[in-house]
Amino acid sequence: MSGEPILSVRDLERHYPITRGLFRREVGRVRAVDGVSFDLERGETLALVGESGCGKSTAARTLVGLEDPTGGTVRFDGADVTTADGRVATDFRRRVGMVFQDPDSSFNPRMPVGEAVGEPLRIHGMRDEQRERAIVTELLELVGLSASHYDRYPHEFSGGQKQRLALARALVLDPEVVVADEPVSALDRRVQDDVLDLMADLQERFDLSILFISHDVDVVRSFCDRVAVMYLGELVERGPVETVFEEPAHPYTRALLGSVPALDPGDRGELVTLTGEVGDPADPPTGCRFHPRCPAVIPPPEYDLPREEWRALLDLRFAVADAADADEDPRTGDRSLREAHGVPAPLSDPDAEAVLERALTDVEDGATERGARRLAEAFTTVCEAEVPPEIDVDDRPVTCHRHDDRGD
Amino acid sequence: MTEPLLSVSNLRTQFRTDRETVRAVDGVDFDVFRGETLAIVGESGSGKTVACESITRLLEEPPAELVDGEVVFDGVDLTTLPEATLREIRGNRIAHVFQNPQRSLSPVYTVGEQLVEAMAIHDVASGTAARERAVGLLDRVGIPRPSVRVDEYPHQFSGGMRQRVAIAIALAAEPDLLVADEPTTALDVTVQAQLLDLLTDLQETLELAVILVTHDFRVVAELADRVVVMYDGKVMERGSVGDVFDGPAHPYTQALFGGEDVADRRVDDADDTAPTVGCRFHRECPHAIPDCRRGDQPPLRPTGTGQRAACVYYDESHDSSVVRARRLEREVTSDER
Ligand code: SF4
Ligand code: SF4
């Protein structure tokens, strides 16, 4: 790992317009990828990890040119390939191979797999059939299959074998970078291990740099060198896998790791559970995008409240605000608002309790909007008001106010 | 010990096509007691789902066919019941939750209508009482603003919320047994954590018996009391969660926990099906000896450490320390890390 990164991504953006009416007037944007920056160093495996809808796959598809970025730059081996065409683009496509979660997407059921593996060669101008066959056969053997598989059809292969074929196809043009989007997610655990072992072998043999898109913390831990954690279109933390996974600095990373059950029945009941659901990328939360769910969300200096109480109080505040917006009664079922959000009675800070009581009385009286306003004025957080800057924590870029002077 | 709520013995279910007969479940035994969670663990093709769907005959027959075995639920053998009686038990006393919540939800009715219907069919409640109970159930399974969302359609819910709705519908008839087949597999981990929390809570407060079908030992560690490990239609190991996690006794269970030497021999070939003679695992097993290739699958025998395993090494004529030795190695290496 030396010199310039092989792939360098800056402020990458992929927005989808939401249009309405005959003239397709743009009324909003889905911010699927919203300013993502990272480097892929030569020879390393970098994971882009996150949950569904966080934008990791879109980021991968955008940076290899399968989708057009709406902003930012992608540099490959020093050259700007963001909107490249002609020779630069062809060259870039040759030097970056791609593997997807569903191998069936890259194999035509009516084409023998050998031909499918060799297809990129033909697309890039190879006319010599014998040479093509020789190259493909050698690759088939390298991925643990054999020459006898050349003329068979996709349905004759197991899921793991198909992923081996997909790897062969991704490598047929001798690329320097492989972008693998959830390549083992559809496989049984033991087959996953086999395919990952194979990828590690191939990485060494072909001197590959790998960008590995995954939702699976276990797989990332066992296979990747560095990791970038994504939430709602943005990166929240990046660094070496050991450091990030042993001492996560961002509350979302902590929640992600803490929500994986331990492999020990003695440790049950210790799961980190977030409240609420992932936000809408068409209307992301202000400030830090994780603030509506973050267990560590920062309280205002004037109140002295333990973490859980503050989180529960904010949940209640947001629920009342939502109800006010929708012109609904926030109280539901037979539980009180306090109970529904786990807000203790009374709060440990008497001033906060006084505000809350007044707001709850408002709601009681049917003045939900007034109650919502009262709560919003008193219970503010820097996490909602200001976008956290990127801060280096032990050489790891982290975007969270807990690490700037606004926290603690 | 008290009588089990459900007792499955020698269950055999096969699928018949023009070309072949697949013995998906090939002589499986397990019990489920009231208030406990039994996990059935295995990889794809192990027969774990077919075994569970055989209990209330959810499988399409044909091609599926229940060829043998007893499924005694609360004293009655379900295999002998006519479909009409079985339908009453299904949903009423034994409810299912699937990996894909759509399987128990209809896209054309609101979730409230579906909950009310489930209660009506099973005579739990009707009219305004049913609607109130529907809202209460949605609240119970953690749906925010239940009195509003009760009038929405399944597609208006996120994947995690939809699974909660499916659980609410399953619970509407106050069943004794909940069969949950990979209920969190399609969900993100943070959503899975919320659902696992909910299942633990429901199980404790309602004293439900739960059969949890899963491929994921982490989920087993979080929820289950006892485990059945299946491979190719057979039970390989059975025991308490503590015993099985402390020292998996069967070489296959050890492989699932990540045995290195097994991976090299893994059979991952579409046209290479498991053998039907001897131990089903013998082609992949690092400890296989000629005895493993003869006769039928060895029976489940006590291992001396609490659980039972279907491996020749646990009979009197073999030295079980051969397969046990690996366990010790494993523990040592994981301690060193
Ligand atoms: S900025 Fe605030 S809300 Fe965002 S992660 Fe940090 S503490 Fe949580
Ligand atoms: S019976 Fe033989 S093949 Fe089967 S698990 Fe035991 S040692 Fe391995």
Side-chain angles (χ1 to χ4, degrees), chain A residues 191-211:
Chain A
V191 185
Q192 288 192 346
D193 290 346
D194 291 355
V195 172
L196 291 175
D197 283 350
L198 171 66
M199 281 182 77
D201 285 352
L202 295 170
Q203 175 167 35
E204 198 161 317
R205 175 181 288 266
F206 290 89
D207 209 1
L208 296 170
S209 316
I210 301 180
L211 181 64

Side-chain angles (χ1 to χ4, degrees), chain B residues 12 20 31 34 39 113 121-122 154 172 192-193 199 317 334:
Chain B
R12 289 176 201 274
E20 55 181 354
D31 291 337
R34 285 182 194 275
E113 286 164 346
I121 293 176
H122 305 293
Q192 165 170 290
L199 286 170
S317 54
S334 61

Side-chain angles (χ1 to χ4, degrees), chain B residues 236 250-252 279-283 285-289 291-292 297-298 310-313 323:
Chain B
M236 294 289 136
H250 194 283
Y252 174 64
C279 173
R280 300 301 187 268
F281 190 55
H282 79 239
R283 275 200 213 146
C285 183
H287 307 293
I289 47 176
D291 283 0
C292 305
Q297 182 70 41
C311 169
V312 290
Y313 279 99
V323 278

Side-chain angles (χ1 to χ4, degrees), chain A residues 51-52 190 274 277 328, chain B residues 145 158 188 190 194 266:
Chain A
E51 298 179 276
S52 38
R190 292 191 298 148
L274 295 175
E277 291 189 87
E328 287 165 5
Chain B
R145 302 187 300 132
S158 69
D188 281 318
T190 60
Q194 295 170 338
R266 159 119 195 113

